[in-house]
Amino acid sequence: MSERMDPSGRTFEITDGDAHAVVYEVGATLGGFTSGGLNRTEPYPPTQRPPKGAGAVLAPWPNRVRAGQWSHDGVAQQLPLTEPDAGNAIHGLLRHVAWQCDQHVSDGVTLSAVATVQPGWPQPVRVAVTYSLENGGLVVSTTATNLGDGPVPFGLGFHPYLRVGDIPTDELALALGAHTELPLTDQLPDGDEHPLAGADPLRTGLVLAGEVLDAAYGGCAPADGDTLVRHRLTAADDQGTELWADPAFGWVQVFTSDELTGHGRAVAVEPMTCPPDALNSGTDLVTLEPEKSWTAAWGLRPIA
């Protein structure tokens, strides 16, 4: 008798004190993270696929590739158009495959998958993601390894929708550790990156009521005296959820959606190592040499 499989595959739960996370086999997707008794990300059950990309791992590139076309070592590449209405390739190659569980312990789980050689992708890249809990927070570490015989570009992103418990998104303020904005038209680059003013609400705390956002921000860097990039979603009483990241995540996409179930309006804060359409622009791509690896981490923690 065959075993039934949920759309999101097997469920891996991890717990440490009052912190708890759910990770799904298909896409190595973060299905939910709670700490201090509060949801810190938008949860969803394994009986459905990630709504609006919730919790997805975006590799070997994040966001969109215009028309799915790019060039590698002078050879034209054509990726499948996984955003068919707009005619783009979106969010990499690993969102809809079952990842291998390499290790699962009480407070952590590691899953891996290979972006194989296929139409539009010239070298195999193994991606391993470890989710672990410590001190009430979630740490997400990713290692990408080139399994091929030639160099290949690589970009990485994640797609969490942040929450502060059940406080409505419109009552929260978002402050980014970004310094620039990349103009987008139809969610693709259209113009040069330009600075965000120091007093820009997205730097100091933009109240999300009435805001419709789908934009890419760059120049994400640690504040003076810090070693990490920090993006914060906070309530009026200063409690909140922080997304921190290694400086390798120099970009962040912010996306508001009215289409998630269970909590009404939601805001995705997506750490990325490169901007949309980076396979064409080359901006901030990592070059993976044969048999070489690259590692970077981000995470979530409660703000008291």
Side-chain angles (χ1 to χ4, degrees):
M1 179 181 294
S2 63
E3 182 180 354
R4 184 186 68 84
M5 181 178 183
D6 283 325
S8 286
R10 291 181 294 167
T11 298
F12 303 98
E13 297 191 43
I14 56 176
T15 302
D16 181 54
D18 68 0
H20 176 260
V22 172
V23 178
Y24 296 134
E25 175 185 28
V26 176
T29 306
L30 179 63
F33 168 56
T34 62
S35 182
L38 301 179
N39 279 311
R40 303 295 174 173
T41 65
E42 190 70 34
Y44 72 94
T47 52
Q48 67 182 87
R49 294 295 295 132
K52 305 298 289 184
V57 180
L58 316 177
W61 76 84
N63 220 289
R64 291 159 177 83
V65 179
R66 191 186 304 269
Q69 298 174 350
W70 64 293
S71 178
H72 179 63
D73 285 345
V75 178
Q77 305 288 333
Q78 177 63 65
L79 293 157
L81 301 184
T82 47
E83 190 181 43
D85 289 346
N88 301 314
I90 185 171
H91 288 337
L93 301 171
L94 298 175
R95 288 193 297 155
H96 306 299
V97 303
W99 290 46
Q100 174 180 304
C101 179
D102 296 331
Q103 183 180 48
H104 183 202
V105 294
S106 62
D107 60 355
V109 62
T110 299
L111 296 99
S112 63
V114 176
T116 58
V117 175
Q118 57 192 281
W121 192 253
Q123 297 288 346
V125 176
R126 180 180 182 269
V127 182
V129 179
T130 297
Y131 295 90
S132 59
L133 298 171
E134 55 184 63
N135 301 320
L138 174 70
V139 179
V140 185
S141 179
T142 302
T143 297
T145 303
N146 183 351
L147 303 180
D149 58 6
V152 67
F154 178 79
L156 177 67
F158 289 80
H159 206 299
Y161 287 83
L162 302 191
R163 282 177 57 170
V164 184
D166 292 327
I167 299 174
T169 298
D170 281 349
E171 296 179 15
L172 302 173
L174 177 65
L176 301 179
H179 292 81
T180 65
E181 180 176 0
L182 180 65
L184 304 180
T185 297
D186 296 329
Q187 301 166 314
L188 286 161
D190 184 18
D192 295 331
E193 189 179 351
H194 61 260
L196 287 174
D200 189 289
L202 273 168
R203 299 255 313 132
T204 59
L206 175 69
V207 177
L208 293 174
E211 296 290 338
V212 178
L213 300 171
D214 192 0
Y217 301 95
C220 298
D224 290 345
D226 202 351
T227 60
L228 298 170
V229 177
R230 301 185 189 273
H231 312 297
R232 293 186 170 101
L233 187 67
T234 55
D237 62 1
D238 292 332
Q239 70 172 318
T241 299
E242 178 183 86
L243 190 157
W244 59 265
D246 287 342
F249 289 95
W251 292 84
V252 63
Q253 185 88 7
V254 179
F255 171 61
T256 54
S257 174
D258 297 326
E259 300 180 32
L260 272 73
T261 59
H263 187 59
R265 223 160 82 85
V267 58
V269 181
E270 309 167 37
M272 306 185 299
T273 61
C274 58
D277 205 29
L279 288 180
N280 283 304
S281 70
T283 302
D284 291 338
L285 285 173
V286 174
T287 298
L288 289 176
E289 298 293 341
E291 301 182 10
K292 300 299 183 181
S293 296
W294 169 94
T295 299
W298 66 280
L300 298 168
R301 71 175 189 91
I303 301 171

